[in-house]
Amino acid sequence: MSKVYYQRDKNFEPDFEQFLRVLRRDIPHRPTLFEFAMNDRILGKLSGEKNENKSSRLAPFRRLIKAFTNAGYDYTTISAWRTNTLDFPKGNMAEKESRSLNAGSMITDWESFEKYPWPDARAGDYELYNDLGKLLPDGMKLIASGNGGLLENVIDLAGFENISLMYMLDETLTTNIFNFVGERLLKFYEIVASIDTVGACIVNDDWGFKNQTMFPPEMLRRWVFPWHKKIVEVIHRAGKPAILHSCGQVKDVMKDVIVDMKYDGKHSFEDLIIPVEEAYDLWGKRIAIIGGIDMDFLARMPVKDIQRRSLAMLRKQLSRGGYLLGSGNSIPDYIPDENYFAMISAVKNI
Amino acid sequence: MSELLERLSMLVEVGKINKVTPYPPEMKDMDGASEITQQALERGIDPQIILNDGLMPGMSRIGEKFARGEAFIPNMLISAKAMNAAMDHLKPFFDGGEMPSKGTLIIGTVKGDLHDIGKNLVKMIMEGDGWSVIDLGTDVGGDKFVKSVNEHKEAIIGISALLTTTMLNMEEVITKLRENNSSTKIFVGGAAVSKSFSEKIGADGYFRDPYSFAQSFN
Ligand code: B12
């Protein structure tokens, strides 16, 4: 056991209700935080356990939950890559800091579509989410997310440039690929949302890049959004809120997100696209705004600037509601630890 | 003649590759960029004019629409396909199959970074605007850029990066290029890159999209 580098408060008690209040666009009773994913080094520093213990099925989660608790979150986010549930087999993709969205494509035509080993969405170890209940402190829930979203998985299976041309040149094949992925993701969310320990779901699907959506809104409305709408419906039917994590410039489809898909929260913001402060003024009355402390800002600005911006956002949370403090995307290993701590320590300094 | 070239521009812009391709749906069974280029050649129009007044304006218009947010990445990709289909007819007329060019761009995604869609789009638009493009691919360090620019002394450089970590590697590449030849023109772009960052690392320019980059030389 090594040292715990940061703790919100020795007596901190998670209270998922505070998170739910924000998703209803209310004001929480105390400062409330959000993070989707954190790198292993920071999980080690937060939990006081340098390495993940892999000795049993539940063991690695003990450290994860401890890290989320010490940092002061009311939940632990569990991505499907950790749970041996739904995963679409991919071709070989070389990866460094980033990877090519054209790499590894396994479905390029009807023949490869028919040969593709489609996974059974029911077959995973969903019991795990239940069993994790034993490890959760009182008041804490899990937030479940998928192993990539609908468009993301289709891009991985077909390749970005392939699918870009395919939807124009072979609509039937395109529809089939989206349906095969969509049905499985829908089943995944239907199952996880029904589990008691899961308090909310994140649907993670990047749609945009720096300037606009990667595909025209009409394309997204035809092939992507109907599945998202169904996914949100099954999450809502289980009585739980649904958060959309989608990076890039998506302003042209925010109305679809709010009015049609009916997401409760939107995660992922960038200063070069629309700073979270502006997003909050623009959409905050209709959808909870989550995270948004810009990644480049978090990676490169001095601690005092990070503290100032985080505090200002937290004040909005506590006066107007509907906002959770966190990063614009996640805490990858290139975010200096002290910068991350500076952001989350705003809850102590308010 | 100008009517045919105008039609060719339009076909490249909308991405009608050839007669059998079903896109755009409202142009089903109509001749595409490939057939019209062939017809233009048969009418004796100079290949250089077909390129300059037919194909290039089409590519430029889609690039401009993309920059204004009125067209999307797939539109650029299909326009490039249409342009390439037309070029296949023209290439035999140019010296050694090489197009006359405005200049040379050496482009690559910076070391540590494998993402390539942004870089590929820049390449497409610059080629469509009459540049020769040398694509060094992804994960490209300073030495490889230096080697390439020494083989093409007049070339300009374009570097792409996706994340803050990899964007920091741009500075190292720029330093190496400057040590090699202080007058090499270097341009940067990509998701996390901003104008202020490009100034800080001493690049000669930052562009948010490929069309504005191409236009800055016209
Ligand atoms: C798709 C995507 C992913 C995909 C694929 C990424 C990949 N290829 O590796 C996935 C889901 C895997 C992913 C993962 C991650 N991502 Co990501 N991702 C994106 C997203 C949404 C789009 C990137 C993209 O493909 N754009 C499409 C191309 C066309 O756009 P472009 O490269 O910007 O190019 C255009 C212009 O910039 C310009 N241009 C580009 N290069 C050049 C060069 C020159 C010379 C010129 C003139 C112009 C120019 O022309 C192009 C056309 O206009 C961006 C959001 C964004 N703002 O872009 C986040 C983003 C890049 N990701 C981000 C992060 C943090 C990550 C992760 C670290 C998350 C994590 N914790 O794991 C990982 C790490 C990457 C990895 N290992 O793959 C952050 C980076 C922040 C930062 N400042 O560092 C971003 C900005 C999102 C955010 N919310 O902040 N990501």
Side-chain angles (χ1 to χ4, degrees):
Chain A
M1 177 79 89
S2 53
K3 179 176 150 212
V4 172
Y5 283 76
Y6 175 96
Q7 210 170 0
R8 175 169 176 163
D9 177 348
K10 273 206 306 295
N11 302 319
F12 171 71
E13 288 176 6
D15 178 9
F16 195 69
E17 181 52 29
Q18 300 313 314
F19 167 83
L20 291 175
R21 288 185 70 83
V22 177
L23 275 247
R24 293 193 298 263
R25 277 165 283 121
D26 278 346
I27 300 174
H29 295 316
R30 58 149 165 74
T32 307
L33 297 167
F34 184 87
E35 208 54 64
F36 184 6
M38 293 184 262
N39 72 74
D40 196 68
R41 186 186 65 239
I42 209 83
L43 291 175
K45 285 196 169 175
L46 285 168
S47 63
E49 295 171 30
K50 198 154 187 277
N51 299 308
E52 203 163 72
N53 174 344
K54 297 199 170 78
S55 63
S56 71
R57 178 166 150 270
L58 294 186
F61 296 96
R62 222 178 276 279
R63 171 178 180 257
L64 185 71
I65 292 168
K66 202 162 155 198
F68 270 81
T69 312
N70 283 349
Y73 298 104
D74 300 295
Y75 41 80
T76 297
T77 54
I78 303 279
S79 165
W81 66 263
R82 284 184 172 274
T83 62
N84 190 23
T85 48
L86 179 61
D87 184 22
F88 294 91
K90 313 267 157 65
N92 280 337
M93 292 184 193
E95 183 153 348
K96 288 207 153 183
E97 303 280 342
S98 73
R99 61 181 170 81
S100 166
L101 284 177
N102 292 319
S105 55
M106 288 177 78
I107 304 181
T108 50
D109 52 18
W110 280 98
E111 203 189 326
S112 43
F113 170 74
E114 268 145 26
K115 279 204 196 117
Y116 182 76
W118 291 102
D120 176 358
R122 281 165 241 255
D125 178 13
Y126 291 97
E127 264 310 298
L128 176 72
Y129 292 86
N130 241 326
D131 297 344
L132 287 176
K134 291 181 225 140
L135 306 184
L136 290 176
D138 281 352
M140 181 176 265
K141 292 270 188 190
L142 300 172
I143 299 185
S145 67
N147 208 342
L150 176 64
L151 183 63
E152 287 177 351
N153 274 298
V154 170
I155 290 175
D156 284 347
L157 295 186
F160 184 87
E161 288 173 16
N162 283 337
I163 192 73
S164 293
L165 297 171
M166 194 191 289
Y167 86 83
M168 296 190 239
L169 302 176
D170 192 342
E171 296 191 353
T172 319
L173 180 55
T174 306
T175 304
N176 271 284
I177 301 176
F178 275 103
N179 286 353
F180 269 64
V181 176
E183 283 159 13
R184 283 162 180 78
L185 271 176
L186 181 62
K187 190 39 90 189
F188 167 83
Y189 279 105
E190 190 185 329
I191 300 172
V192 289
S194 71
I195 300 171
D196 272 352
T197 51
V198 174
C201 293
I202 298 174
V203 186
N204 41 314
D205 205 16
D206 288 351
W207 297 335
F209 69 110
K210 197 168 195 165
N211 305 352
Q212 50 182 178
T213 50
M214 294 199 227
F215 294 85
E218 314 83 73
M219 184 278 193
L220 298 173
R221 285 182 190 121
R222 174 160 172 197
W223 281 294
V224 180
F225 296 171
W227 285 108
H228 276 267
K229 189 173 171 160
K230 286 186 198 161
I231 289 170
V232 176
E233 273 166 15
V234 296
I235 299 169
H236 282 172
R237 216 174 296 141
K240 294 164 189 177
I243 296 169
L244 173 68
H245 163 94
S246 193
C247 295
Q249 175 58 284
V250 296
K251 72 171 186 332
D252 289 347
V253 298
M254 272 307 282
K255 198 167 158 221
D256 301 73
V257 170
I258 297 169
V259 178
D260 188 42
M261 291 171 245
K262 301 194 166 50
Y263 272 105
D264 303 283
K266 163 75 170 67
H267 181 247
S268 185
F269 296 95
E270 282 173 66
D271 285 357
L272 287 174
I273 293 176
I274 172 167
V276 63
E277 290 81 358
E278 282 175 38
Y280 182 68
D281 288 343
L282 201 58
W283 299 305
K285 289 206 166 63
R286 292 182 294 159
I287 189 167
I289 300 295
I290 304 181
I293 304 297
D294 180 73
M295 299 296 288
D296 191 52
F297 183 89
L298 212 46
R300 296 195 299 129
M301 292 307 261
V303 158
K304 65 174 193 335
D305 293 24
I306 295 169
Q307 279 168 335
R308 188 163 14 86
R309 189 169 182 190
S310 305
L311 266 176
M313 284 313 293
L314 209 48
R315 284 198 192 97
K316 291 185 202 266
Q317 173 187 83
L318 297 173
S319 59
R320 283 153 63 190
Y323 174 75
L324 290 167
L325 177 64
S327 77
N329 177 293
S330 55
I331 309 298
D333 58 6
Y334 60 83
I335 304 287
D337 300 343
E338 57 280 15
N339 294 14
Y340 166 68
F341 293 142
M343 174 179 75
I344 58 173
S345 61
V347 299
K348 299 183 179 185
N349 302 330
I350 191 115
Chain B
M1 167 177 130
S2 66
E3 223 173 86
L4 204 61
L5 293 180
E6 181 43 45
R7 181 153 189 86
L8 194 50
S9 296
M10 181 274 289
L11 292 169
V12 170
E13 184 185 343
V14 302
K16 176 71 178 168
I17 303 169
N18 56 36
K19 199 172 179 127
V20 296
T21 45
Y23 186 85
E26 64 278 10
M27 297 180 89
K28 199 165 173 284
D29 298 327
M30 286 157 103
D31 283 342
S34 174
E35 289 83 7
I36 298 294
T37 303
Q38 185 56 38
Q39 289 166 27
L41 286 169
E42 279 159 14
R43 287 210 206 162
I45 305 178
D46 183 340
Q48 187 67 54
I49 300 215
I50 301 179
L51 177 62
N52 288 353
D53 299 350
L55 303 180
M56 280 167 50
M59 208 55 210
S60 169
R61 288 209 292 255
I62 196 71
E64 187 181 0
K65 280 192 170 171
F66 178 73
R68 284 205 307 260
E70 291 162 12
F72 293 81
I73 299 173
N75 303 110
M76 300 246 279
L77 294 173
I78 200 151
S79 288
K81 276 253 174 226
M83 174 135 180
N84 287 340
M87 291 300 270
D88 286 343
H89 298 282
L90 300 185
K91 274 188 186 145
F93 294 91
F94 296 114
D95 244 8
E98 289 286 316
M99 308 294 147
S101 87
K102 276 186 186 167
T104 301
L105 165 71
I106 298 169
I107 193 164
T109 299
V110 78
K111 195 173 76 193
D113 203 326
L114 302 182
H115 105 290
D116 58 354
I117 310 170
K119 166 187 71 64
N120 295 352
L121 292 172
V122 177
K123 177 179 169 189
M124 252 168 244
I125 288 296
M126 291 300 275
E127 280 178 344
D129 202 54
W131 287 73
S132 313
V133 180
I134 297 172
D135 183 356
L136 299 181
T138 60
D139 192 21
V140 187
D143 294 339
K144 207 163 165 189
F145 275 108
V146 167
K147 183 166 176 282
S148 183
V149 79
N150 285 340
E151 288 160 10
H152 309 270
K153 296 265 186 245
E154 300 304 314
I156 60 164
I157 308 274
I159 322 174
S160 180
L162 184 77
L163 310 167
T164 291
T165 27
T166 58
M167 137 189 148
L168 296 174
N169 296 340
M170 285 176 154
E171 187 162 14
E172 199 185 307
V173 173
I174 294 182
T175 310
K176 286 216 162 142
L177 282 164
R178 296 270 185 250
E179 278 166 14
N180 177 66
N181 177 353
S182 59
S183 62
T184 306
K185 290 267 177 262
I186 308 166
F187 302 90
V188 294
V193 182
S194 59
K195 189 165 188 297
S196 62
F197 178 74
S198 97
E199 283 161 4
K200 190 175 152 266
I201 60 173
D204 294 295
Y206 156 80
F207 293 92
R208 202 182 162 90
D209 68 89
Y211 177 77
S212 349
F213 183 41
Q215 283 307 303
S216 73
F217 301 99
N218 291 342

